[in-house]
Amino acid sequence: DVHCQLISATMRDVYHVRSKGKQHIFYLYRYDQRTFEEIDSEWDFVDFLHQADIPVAPSIRRTDRGRILTFQMPEGERYGVLTTFVEGKHLRQKPDVGAARRYGRLIAQIHALADVLPFELIRPANEAEFLLDRMLDALNRELHEQSEVIDYLREADAILRPRMEALSREKPIYGIIHGDVIRANAQVSSDGTVTILDFDLCGSGWRAYDIATYQVVLKGQVNEMEFKAAFLDGYQEVRPLTDPEIKSLPLLEAVRHFVEIGIPAMNVYHWGRSGLSDYWVHQAVDGIRYYLKELG
């Protein structure tokens, strides 16, 4: 008596699974997107956080204690992981200042715990190679007819890259991060509990990048400043930011705008071109211009 319904098909295919009154979430990774070791390491990290009482949705292991299911598809092997189900709505669907503060506090706790991780996390780094190079390659391919946009993105890349490379790589400024701190990855339950979801982009990076990501997705939203302040206050209750980290936020916010259209460009053959509409491209370019002015 198993019922399986597709919820979304973005970085992974996400299914809602019901069986005999129980609910689960099943993630099916796309072919050739992540290695077996990278997926297993992602869920090792999630399970580590769960054991440390961070509200996450841990994996459910098989009877042999493995967690990854392998499926033979026409395109090749694909991997899947079954996880616990968390009730509630995303912070985007259920905006609440208190939940935003708790979200910030939890991200800081994750950063702190990651510094005492008892194993090596096998994941790609959130550095220039991914955040700029791969994004720019994909955008150059998909927006090749918009030469003015591509020329500007290249100019911006030439400014951002050396500044990014000059940032400190010492703990706690640098270390394992969530990698995608958006409102859709904070599930708010009926009792106000915030559960952190979707660690598909976790890996080494600058902790301020997680904060920059949250600030970018709030740009232009109702009560933007109130929600930004709540998240930042919650974060700094656990780990106060250093002056260099605060100064790096405009830089990392500009970089995140590359990602906002770079990810859709990388996935255009799976998602279509809606994420590369003139509106979203111009939003990203305007965002980069804005933060470059802040950098001076």
Side-chain angles (χ1 to χ4, degrees):
D1 185 29
V2 178
H3 301 273
C4 187
Q5 170 138 20
L6 181 67
I7 299 173
S8 66
T10 52
M11 303 295 283
R12 304 170 288 188
D13 297 340
V14 184
Y15 293 87
H16 184 193
V17 181
R18 299 174 185 266
S19 176
K20 297 181 180 178
K22 296 182 179 180
Q23 300 184 73
H24 299 91
I25 295 295
F26 181 67
Y27 294 99
L28 182 62
Y29 290 77
R30 292 211 307 259
Y31 169 69
D32 207 24
Q33 181 180 359
R34 299 283 185 208
T35 66
F36 185 100
E37 291 76 20
E38 287 171 349
I39 296 168
D40 209 31
S41 196
E42 171 193 343
W43 291 99
D44 277 342
F45 184 46
V46 174
D47 288 353
F48 166 77
L49 296 174
H50 174 66
Q51 291 164 12
D53 295 324
I54 299 295
V56 292
S59 63
I60 297 174
R61 291 183 178 270
R62 304 191 308 261
T63 54
D64 64 1
R65 302 305 298 157
R67 65 160 70 88
I68 298 180
L69 300 170
T70 302
F71 299 88
Q72 299 299 330
M73 302 290 194
E75 63 271 26
E77 284 188 342
R78 293 181 66 179
Y79 303 118
V81 176
L82 189 70
T83 75
T84 54
F85 176 84
V86 180
E87 67 90 12
K89 293 184 177 180
H90 299 160
L91 185 56
R92 183 178 60 193
Q93 301 168 318
K94 188 179 180 179
D96 177 81
V97 172
R101 180 184 294 272
R102 291 189 289 278
Y103 193 13
R105 189 182 303 128
L106 287 169
I107 293 300
Q109 290 173 349
I110 289 171
H111 289 170
L113 283 166
D115 282 343
V116 295
L117 194 67
F119 56 86
E120 180 185 0
L121 191 70
I122 305 170
R123 302 289 299 177
N126 288 282
E127 290 204 22
E129 181 181 356
F130 174 64
L131 300 176
L132 292 176
D133 292 348
R134 290 188 62 193
M135 302 300 156
L136 198 53
D137 286 347
L139 289 164
N140 187 57
R141 181 183 66 244
E142 299 303 328
L143 301 179
H144 63 276
E145 294 179 353
Q146 300 183 45
S147 58
E148 290 184 5
V149 170
I150 294 300
D151 288 346
Y152 178 76
L153 292 176
R154 286 175 179 155
E155 291 172 10
D157 172 75
I159 298 169
L160 297 172
R161 180 180 304 278
R163 297 193 184 204
M164 195 174 178
E165 295 294 345
L167 295 176
S168 171
R169 286 178 173 76
E170 298 295 322
K171 291 181 181 180
I173 291 174
Y174 185 93
I176 296 167
I177 63 174
H178 180 279
D180 198 23
V181 181
I182 60 176
R183 292 170 297 167
N185 288 335
Q187 185 88 337
V188 185
S189 66
S190 55
D191 66 1
T193 298
V194 175
T195 301
I196 310 298
L197 305 175
D198 194 355
F199 286 78
D200 184 55
L201 291 175
C202 71
S204 298
W206 291 277
R207 267 57 191 268
Y209 176 74
D210 273 349
I211 298 166
T213 297
Y214 180 77
Q215 303 222 48
V216 164
V217 298
L218 281 178
K219 192 74 176 170
Q221 299 296 313
V222 176
N223 298 326
E224 172 189 345
M225 301 311 297
E226 184 180 13
F227 276 85
K228 281 183 177 180
F231 181 92
L232 195 56
D233 287 347
Y235 186 94
Q236 295 199 102
E237 287 173 11
V238 177
R239 191 183 83 81
L241 293 173
T242 63
D243 285 341
E245 286 181 289
I246 293 171
K247 290 177 181 176
S248 74
L249 285 173
L251 165 65
L252 296 173
E253 286 165 339
V255 170
R256 179 66 192 193
H257 276 291
F258 268 86
V259 177
E260 289 292 292
I261 51 173
I263 291 287
M266 289 169 61
N267 292 279
V268 71
Y269 296 109
H270 297 276
W271 302 353
R273 300 190 63 85
S274 60
L276 292 175
S277 67
D278 288 345
Y279 173 80
W280 290 116
V281 170
H282 290 147
Q283 282 280 98
V285 169
D286 288 346
I288 294 168
R289 282 199 178 98
Y290 175 84
Y291 290 114
L292 284 180
K293 285 181 182 177
E294 284 204 0
L295 287 172

